[in-house]
């Protein structure tokens, strides 16, 4: 970078340079900036064709992008808006400080909102539209740590009471009236729309929300409007991979409905973001290179006269040379320090401030604290077409907190302030709280009829209503197809062998045929459609491409060619599970955000779901998302050739930890049909706030017909697949349980036991150990709380209560999955669990199942061992099984190798 700067700053002939600049200015004045830009591009092109090396400079000068004479002027009343902003600052501070004077160390943040109050205030007053009959509404991703400031605004508007402010971070004590620490739709379902405080998730979600809005418009499911997505993030947050990982998508697809506002207070949690560099310049280069319109709001209006008098260019040079660590020190140490350490570096810059007092220098404001500069930037952003916009607003962390935290390294964790610091804050923002009340840090409300409150309410009325606000249910529901509509997959396949993945695709195709529901289906893949047998959808419904297909695909002469279409229905998000999940989230929350219910299916390698993108999966629960996540090629022994990194044996444990995820590991196509139908009913018809996780396999085998009366048991998570009949006298019997692909090994084990040892087995399919577990613990909790009422019997307990023998469970997942139901086994029933603990590896399915001890032979052996402990067979039978089934007694525990 230094070399490039040297080249660009060399001037062999200043006179000639001046003549060229004057000529360019003449072109601008006569023909406009676009003509000047065209001429410059032609000159650059000619120089490069001549072999000249022209270094690419992705950044511009360290000054505001919009010059003063081109700034749009705010129509608002600046004086009233300053008073409103000051009141919000005070009440936000009071919320956090009061909370932390209570027992319990509740935490909270002051400095983030202090730095961004103006950025929010201008948006609330002039730009952010609420959903109304006239407009579908904008979507704002609030920076999580700024939540107290949003609550403080709602307090002045009358939406939140003083009592509720005192319940900040006290949601249990508040009994539904408390205020969540950060934006959480699950906790405040009528208020917050998107969770953002797991840093990085807001930006990537915002990008895919913007893409999905275009998708809905192009498919005719949502009218084209000028609605915008505004995403707030911190400059330190830009280091999260998700923050910048998808910005090229936004640039490539020209998402002009997307605006990022990056609060560049130059500090992250522990210190400077780029103490030795310049984060605004770095981000400008990154975003401009990705095709974004970048607007820098670095300096406030007090700097304009100085820059206008900077005829030597030394001030601009100094601004470029100074690193962020120095800028932070200037704001921390005041005007005298800034005069000496900043302006004093050059005689020319020292002269610029010679007639200014130290207080005047200290008041030189940063752009993010100047409502006029912010308004101009926002106005330019909403009027930009053909590309997304990023606004890089320079601010001061802890603005207004003075010695208690302004521009200081520990500012992020500032939660408490002493009386002197609070007094200084009160005086700076002219809050009418008397000295004798300062120790209490009281909230201040000027009254609902005050000029300030009436102004706020009028501005929100003009913009459609209050924000934030969230829609709980869409206006339209969709009737789920009946189970009969899935007949193709509820009927057996006869001798034909298919995988559950193929059954899933068939089920999706059946749903796509539904005239009402079909257009609402959103198939999403992360570049694995052919892996999952979905290429038929390319031709049938097309792949979404915002600009259509501009080329003839290589396979155009084939039936299932790669067809892209502006109205395509499949979202092909490339090799990015985080991108696919973010697209799924946009579709899964469309019922709330756009009043347009959609039913997304995101199909991916199961190992790369809850493990890789678990934070987004957790956010989906928080956002009350609705849709299907499909973990393809699931299980630790099913994906036989891929090895350790691909073989999933634990995703159902991870999904089961999210309260509103309903998880299933079906074995047969009819189970899948029942689950799809029931899930569609719950999410699209009844509008329940749940989403489904279903694992499917690529192993082919024959599938039986739907057993009569099994539907309820499939949904509940367990049903009797095969009844061995009435037990004969002294006949040894076991209860065999299985799920997914290993259920077939359980069935085979039952045959071995009967043929070789005369042991009969009832066989249970358990497509969801997670659902069985949840129901069991719900019953157990109810019983504890109602000791004198008739006691509830857990579902699995009731199923097994009259059955004989020990129970053996085996799955393609770690033992913990099936072990979750141990507490609900009938008294006296021995329970043995087999699973795939350990790292996966490449081999045949048969060898892998033998290695992990979950094949038919190991299952039969485990059953005999349990029967021997119950005294129903003898130890010699167990030893004979080891010998006949060639089980290696000395093999290492698969958990350890």
């Amino acid at each position: 970078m230094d070399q490039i700067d040297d080249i660009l700053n060399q001037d062999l002939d200043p006179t000639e340079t001046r003549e060229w600049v004057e000529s360019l200015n003449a072109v601008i004045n006569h023909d406009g900036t676009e003509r000047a830009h065209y001429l410059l591009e032609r000159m650059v092109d000619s120089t490069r064709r001549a072999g000249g090396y022209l270094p690419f400079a992705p950044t511009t000068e360290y000054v505001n992008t919009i010059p003063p004479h081109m700034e749009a002027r705010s129509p608002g009343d600046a004086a009233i808006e300053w008073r409103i902003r000051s009141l919000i600052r005070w009440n936000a501070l009071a919320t956090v400080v009061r909370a932390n004077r209570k027992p319990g160390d509740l935490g909270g943040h002051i400095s983030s909102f202090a730095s961004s109050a103006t950025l929010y205030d201008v948006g609330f007053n002039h730009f952010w539209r609420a959903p109304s009959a006239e407009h579908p509404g904008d979507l704002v991703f609030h920076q999580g740590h700024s939540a107290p400031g949003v609550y403080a605004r709602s307090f002045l508007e009358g939406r939140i009471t003083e009592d509720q402010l005192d319940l900040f971070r006290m949601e249990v004590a508040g009994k539904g009236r408390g205020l969540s620490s950060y934006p959480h739709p699950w906790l405040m379902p009528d208020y917050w729309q998107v969770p953002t405080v797991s840093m990085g998730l807001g930006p990537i979600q915002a990008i895919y929300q913007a893409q999905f809005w275009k998708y809905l418009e192009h498919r005719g499911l949502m009218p084209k409007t000028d609605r915008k997505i505004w995403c707030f993030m911190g400059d330190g947050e830009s280091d999260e991979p998700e923050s910048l990982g998808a910005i090229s998508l936004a640039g490539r697809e020209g998402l002009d409905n997307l605006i990022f506002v990056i609060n560049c207070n130059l500090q992250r949690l522990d210190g400077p973001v780029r103490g030795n560099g310049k984060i605004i310049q770095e981000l400008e280069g990154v975003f401009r290179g990705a095709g974004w319109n970048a607007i820098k709001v670095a300096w406030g209006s007090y700097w304009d006269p100085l820059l206008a008098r900077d005829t030597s260019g030394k001030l601009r040079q100094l601004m470029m040379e100074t690193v962020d660590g120095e800028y932070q020190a200037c704001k921390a140490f005041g005007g005298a320090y800034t005069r000496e350490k900043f302006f004093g570096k050059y005689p020319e810059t020292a002269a610029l401030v010679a007639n200014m007092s130290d207080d005047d220098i200290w008041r030189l404001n940063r752009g993010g604290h100047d409502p006029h500069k912010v308004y101009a930037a926002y106005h330019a952003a909403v009027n930009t077409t053909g590309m997304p916009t990023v606004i890089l607003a320079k601010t001061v962390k802890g603005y207004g907190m003075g010695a208690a935290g302004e521009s200081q390294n520990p500012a992020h964790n500032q939660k408490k302030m002493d009386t002197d610091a609070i007094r200084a804050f009160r005086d700076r923002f002219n809050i009418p709280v008397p000295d004798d009340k300062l120790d209490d840090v009281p909230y201040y409300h000027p009254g609902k009829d005050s000029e300030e409150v009436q102004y706020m309410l009028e501005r929100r009325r003009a913009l459609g209503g209050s924000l934030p606000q969230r829609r709980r249910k869409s206006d339209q529901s969709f009737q789920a197809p009946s189970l009969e509509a899935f007949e193709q997959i509820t009927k057996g396949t006869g001798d034909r062998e298919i995988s559950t993945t193929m059954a899933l695709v068939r089920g999706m195709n059946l749903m796509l045929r539904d005239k009402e529901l079909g257009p609402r289906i959103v198939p999403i893949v992360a570049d694995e459609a052919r892996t999952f047998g979905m290429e038929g959808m390319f031709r049938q419904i097309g792949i979404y491409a915002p600009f259509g297909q501009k080329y003839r695909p290589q396979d155009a002469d084939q039936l299932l060619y790669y067809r892209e279409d502006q109205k395509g229905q499949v979202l092909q998000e490339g090799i990015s599970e985080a991108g696919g999940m973010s697209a799924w989230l946009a579709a899964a929350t469309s019922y709330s955000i756009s009043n347009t219910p959609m039913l997304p299916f995101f199909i991916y390698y199961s190992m790369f779901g809850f493990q890789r993108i678990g934070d987004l999966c957790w956010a989906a629960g928080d956002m009350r998302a609705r849709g299907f996540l499909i973990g393809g090629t699931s299980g630790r022994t099913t994906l036989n050739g891929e090895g350790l990194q691909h073989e999933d044996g634990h995703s159902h444990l991870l999904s089961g930890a999210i309260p509103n995820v309903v998880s299933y590991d079906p074995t047969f196509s009819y189970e899948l049909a029942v689950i799809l139908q029931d899930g569609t009913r719950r999410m699209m018809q009844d509008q329940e706030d749940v989403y489904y996780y279903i694992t499917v396999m690529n192993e082919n085998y024959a599938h039986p017909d739907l057993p009569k009366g099994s539907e309820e048991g499939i949904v509940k998570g367990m049903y009797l697949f095969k009844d061995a009949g009435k037990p004969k006298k002294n006949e040894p019997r076991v209860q065999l349980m299985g799920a997914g692909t290993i259920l077939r090994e359980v069935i085979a084990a039952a045959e071995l036991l009967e043929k070789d040892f005369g042991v009969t087995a009832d066989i249970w399919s358990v497509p969801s150990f997670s659902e069985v577990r949840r129901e069991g613990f719900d019953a157990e909790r109810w019983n504890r709380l109602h000791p004198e009422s008739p006691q509830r019997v857990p579902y699995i307990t009731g199923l097994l209560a009259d059955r004989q023998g020990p129970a053996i469970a085996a799955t393609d997942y770690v033992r913990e999955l099936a072990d979750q139901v141990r507490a609900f086994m009938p008294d006296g029933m021995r329970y043995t669990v087999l699973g795939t603990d350990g790292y996966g590896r490449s081999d045949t399915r048969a060898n892998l199942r033998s290695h992990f001890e979950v094949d038919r032979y190991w299952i039969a052996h485990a059953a005999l061992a349990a029967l021997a402990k119950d005294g129903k067979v003898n130890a010699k039978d167990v030893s004979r099984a080891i010998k006949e089934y060639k089980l290696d007694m000395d093999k290492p525990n698969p958990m350890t190798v």
Side-chain angles (χ1 to χ4, degrees):
M1 180 62 76
D2 292 340
Q3 181 184 6
I4 292 174
D5 289 340
D6 290 342
I7 294 172
L8 294 175
N9 291 329
Q10 288 174 3
D11 194 344
L12 302 178
D13 190 341
T15 301
E16 182 183 30
T17 301
R18 186 166 54 253
E19 291 172 352
W20 277 91
V21 171
E22 289 172 353
S23 298
L24 187 63
N25 285 331
V27 171
I28 292 172
N29 293 332
H30 189 269
D31 298 318
T33 56
E34 290 186 4
R35 173 62 178 167
H37 183 263
Y38 175 81
L39 292 175
L40 288 171
E41 288 292 321
R42 298 289 71 76
M43 285 189 284
V44 168
D45 184 61
S46 296
T47 305
R48 287 185 171 141
R49 288 177 181 274
Y53 167 65
L54 289 181
F56 169 66
T59 59
T60 60
E61 280 191 299
Y62 198 61
V63 294
N64 292 347
T65 302
I66 305 172
H69 69 277
M70 295 185 68
E71 293 172 352
R73 303 306 297 173
S74 171
D77 186 320
I80 291 180
E81 290 183 10
W82 182 86
R83 294 204 301 271
I84 292 169
R85 198 158 52 247
S86 297
L87 293 175
I88 292 172
R89 289 181 183 278
W90 173 265
N91 287 317
L93 176 143
T95 298
V96 176
V97 171
R98 287 167 66 95
N100 282 280
R101 290 183 175 180
K102 299 174 184 176
D105 195 18
L106 292 170
H109 300 84
I110 302 171
S111 57
S112 290
F113 178 73
S115 67
S116 57
T118 302
L119 301 176
Y120 286 104
D121 194 53
V122 173
F124 275 115
N125 285 335
H126 301 289
F127 290 96
W128 301 338
R129 295 156 296 186
S132 66
E134 291 74 33
H135 196 273
D138 298 318
L139 175 61
V140 181
F141 285 75
H142 298 84
Q143 196 176 355
H145 294 107
S146 294
V150 183
Y151 295 142
R153 170 172 284 273
S154 292
F155 168 62
L156 293 182
E157 291 177 346
R159 300 180 64 204
I160 287 177
T161 66
E162 185 171 316
D163 289 342
Q164 283 181 283
L165 290 182
D166 265 342
L167 291 171
F168 174 61
R169 295 194 169 199
M170 296 189 70
E171 294 160 281
V172 175
K175 297 181 179 179
R177 298 181 66 250
L179 302 180
S180 59
S181 54
Y182 307 119
H184 291 300
W186 184 262
L187 300 171
M188 298 179 68
D190 298 311
Y191 193 84
W192 295 116
Q193 290 183 281
V194 283
T196 53
V197 83
S198 189
M199 288 189 280
L201 299 194
I204 194 170
Q205 287 186 64
I207 290 169
Y208 284 91
Q209 280 282 358
Q211 182 201 47
F212 192 70
W213 285 7
K214 296 284 188 181
Y215 168 92
L216 291 176
E217 291 175 1
H218 287 145
R219 292 193 53 218
L221 295 172
M222 186 172 77
K224 292 184 178 181
T225 68
D226 63 346
R227 69 191 301 214
K228 305 288 184 183
I229 292 172
W230 297 74
C231 178
F232 281 77
M233 61 182 283
D235 47 358
E237 188 177 355
S238 66
D239 287 335
E240 291 283 4
E242 295 90 347
S243 293
L244 304 182
I247 62 171
S248 60
L249 164 70
R252 181 172 67 248
E253 297 195 2
L255 299 180
D256 52 12
N257 56 350
L258 177 63
I259 300 167
F260 272 22
V261 181
I262 304 185
N263 176 22
C264 298
N265 57 35
L266 314 185
Q267 291 180 238
R268 51 191 176 199
L269 277 61
D270 289 334
V273 177
R274 298 288 185 273
N276 296 313
K278 301 169 83 64
I279 188 60
I280 289 179
Q281 296 298 92
E282 178 182 320
L283 291 175
E284 180 191 26
V286 169
F287 279 93
R288 287 186 70 203
W292 289 54
N293 171 39
I295 300 175
K296 290 191 290 193
V297 189
W299 310 108
S301 300
Y302 294 146
W303 286 89
D304 289 345
L306 292 180
L307 287 164
R309 299 201 311 269
D310 181 34
T311 55
S312 67
K314 279 294 182 180
L315 179 56
R316 285 174 169 80
Q317 177 186 332
L318 178 58
M319 287 173 165
M320 284 292 288
E321 292 172 348
T322 304
V323 297
D324 286 352
E326 292 183 87
Y327 280 124
Q328 181 187 352
C330 286
K331 275 301 174 186
F333 298 132
Y337 179 92
T338 304
R339 182 193 300 277
E340 176 188 355
K341 301 295 185 180
F342 180 73
F343 290 107
K345 288 187 177 180
Y346 297 106
E348 295 90 340
T349 52
L352 285 174
V353 296
N355 294 326
M356 296 174 64
S357 68
D358 290 345
D359 287 342
D360 290 335
I361 291 174
W362 181 79
R363 278 191 289 268
L364 289 169
N365 56 341
R366 292 182 178 177
H369 298 300
D370 188 324
H372 306 293
K373 301 292 185 183
V374 173
Y375 182 92
Y378 285 7
H379 184 273
V382 298
N383 288 287
T384 296
T385 59
M387 62 174 66
T389 294
V390 59
I391 295 169
L392 302 167
K394 190 175 184 181
T395 64
V396 178
K397 193 154 192 175
Y399 180 81
M401 294 173 63
E406 188 162 340
S407 199
Q408 296 183 24
N409 283 338
H412 182 81
N413 293 313
Q414 189 70 38
K415 301 170 180 64
K416 301 178 181 180
M417 295 174 66
D418 61 27
T419 301
D420 289 341
I422 292 169
R423 180 180 292 107
F425 191 95
R426 176 204 64 180
D427 294 344
R428 182 166 178 175
F429 294 107
N430 197 24
I431 307 298
V433 174
D435 284 346
D436 61 352
K437 300 290 186 182
L438 278 182
D439 284 343
D440 298 330
V441 200
Y443 304 115
Y444 181 78
H445 196 294
K448 64 179 182 179
D449 296 324
S450 66
E451 186 179 21
E452 294 88 347
V453 170
Q454 288 303 307
Y455 182 91
M456 293 174 69
L457 296 177
E458 185 280 325
R459 292 309 308 142
R460 290 315 311 164
R461 282 193 293 269
L463 291 167
S466 297
L467 286 178
Q469 62 168 281
R470 182 182 175 277
R471 179 186 292 106
R472 286 200 185 207
K473 295 183 183 295
S474 57
D475 293 339
Q476 186 179 13
S477 295
F478 287 86
Q479 187 75 23
S482 66
L483 191 58
E484 288 72 24
F486 292 89
E487 186 178 12
Q488 280 190 22
I489 55 175
T490 57
K491 283 200 166 186
T493 60
D495 294 333
R496 188 182 179 197
E497 296 186 341
I498 67 169
S499 66
T500 48
T501 301
M502 185 179 295
L504 169 78
V505 174
R506 285 184 179 179
M508 289 177 62
N509 281 319
L510 293 170
M511 296 172 74
L512 285 165
R513 294 177 191 172
D514 188 292
K515 291 182 179 180
E516 295 295 323
L517 183 64
R520 305 289 173 148
I521 304 294
V522 186
I524 302 171
V525 288
D527 203 39
E528 291 281 4
R530 298 185 191 277
T531 301
F532 302 122
M534 296 173 59
E535 61 268 33
M537 292 183 182
F538 294 169
R539 176 71 180 271
Q540 178 188 354
I541 56 178
I543 301 163
Y544 172 68
F547 309 113
Q549 191 158 25
K550 299 180 178 181
Y551 65 95
R552 184 179 187 274
Q554 171 271 329
D555 53 358
D557 57 345
Q558 299 179 19
L559 178 63
L560 306 179
Y561 70 93
Y562 195 84
R563 183 174 75 86
E564 298 187 74
D565 192 310
Q566 191 179 54
K567 294 185 177 181
Q569 198 163 341
V570 177
L571 284 172
Q572 224 292 17
E573 298 298 357
I575 305 175
S576 172
E577 285 82 8
M581 184 64 187
S582 296
W584 182 88
L585 273 167
T589 56
S590 181
Y591 75 93
S592 175
I593 289 169
S594 298
N595 200 23
T596 306
M598 306 295 288
L599 187 61
F601 286 77
F602 178 29
I603 301 95
Y604 54 85
Y605 268 81
S606 67
M607 190 68 157
F608 305 144
F610 284 85
Q611 175 170 289
R612 175 172 289 186
I613 51 172
D615 208 359
L616 284 165
C617 295
W618 185 260
D622 191 350
M623 290 173 71
R624 299 170 178 260
R626 303 171 187 167
F628 290 99
L629 294 181
I630 309 296
T633 57
S634 70
R636 189 145 284 165
T637 70
T638 306
L639 187 62
N640 52 315
E642 292 288 341
L644 184 150
Q645 195 66 34
H646 286 67
E647 292 173 343
D648 166 32
H650 50 276
S651 65
H652 276 284
L653 284 182
L654 301 175
S655 67
I658 302 176
N660 49 337
V661 174
V662 185
S663 306
Y664 291 96
D665 183 30
T667 306
F668 298 118
S669 60
Y670 68 77
E671 293 179 342
L672 189 60
V674 171
I675 294 163
L676 288 176
Q677 195 277 336
D678 188 66
T680 303
R681 175 191 61 80
R682 292 181 68 181
M683 294 184 287
M684 294 295 282
Q685 185 173 314
D686 299 342
Q687 296 206 47
E688 289 188 46
D689 293 332
V690 296
Y691 72 89
Y692 276 58
Y693 175 54
I694 305 173
T695 45
V696 294
M697 288 82 73
N698 63 343
E699 183 176 0
N700 294 321
Y701 46 83
H703 295 249
D705 292 337
L706 170 67
K708 187 177 180 180
S710 63
E711 295 90 338
E712 181 182 2
I714 292 170
V715 170
K716 287 186 173 182
M718 181 174 173
Y719 68 98
L720 183 61
F721 177 78
K722 181 184 176 183
D723 190 338
K726 186 176 180 180
K728 297 176 183 177
K729 189 176 182 181
N730 297 323
E731 175 189 55
R733 176 167 292 209
V734 292
Q735 306 300 312
L736 298 185
M737 302 158 60
T741 188
I742 300 301
L743 176 60
R744 296 178 61 249
E745 294 296 322
V746 168
I747 295 169
E751 295 173 358
L752 290 175
L753 286 168
E754 186 166 22
K755 176 173 66 74
D756 298 336
F757 294 92
V759 174
T760 57
D762 297 319
I763 302 174
W764 301 87
S765 176
V766 192
S768 183
F769 279 98
S770 299
E771 287 299 290
V772 172
R773 168 192 176 275
R774 287 176 176 178
E775 191 278 339
F777 278 112
D778 186 58
E780 183 264 351
R781 175 182 178 273
W782 193 94
N783 291 338
R784 280 189 288 108
L785 295 175
H786 301 83
E788 297 184 31
S789 299
Q791 298 290 278
R792 284 170 47 181
V793 178
Y795 176 65
I796 184 174
T797 311
L799 291 179
L800 296 174
D802 296 327
R803 299 283 169 170
Q804 293 183 10
I808 315 298
T811 74
D812 214 10
Y813 290 82
V814 293
R815 292 171 185 256
E816 287 94 330
L817 178 64
D819 206 52
Q820 294 179 110
V821 302
R822 181 179 296 275
F824 314 112
M825 303 305 291
D827 291 343
M829 181 174 283
R830 190 178 302 279
Y831 186 45
T832 303
V833 172
L834 304 180
T836 54
D837 299 66
Y839 283 119
R841 59 204 62 215
S842 299
D843 212 310
T844 65
R845 292 188 180 111
N847 287 343
L848 288 173
R849 287 165 187 168
S850 175
H851 166 77
F852 284 110
E853 303 170 8
V854 293
D855 68 5
R856 61 197 65 182
Y857 304 110
W858 285 97
I859 295 169
H861 166 260
L864 291 166
L867 285 166
K869 288 185 177 180
D870 285 350
K872 300 299 183 182
V873 300
N874 57 53
K876 290 183 179 180
D877 292 315
V878 183
S879 297
R880 180 162 67 90
I882 293 173
K883 182 177 180 180
E884 288 189 13
Y885 299 151
K886 298 181 174 57
L887 304 182
D888 183 357
M889 293 185 295
D890 298 319
K891 70 186 286 286
N893 186 331
M895 181 71 179
T896 65
V897 294

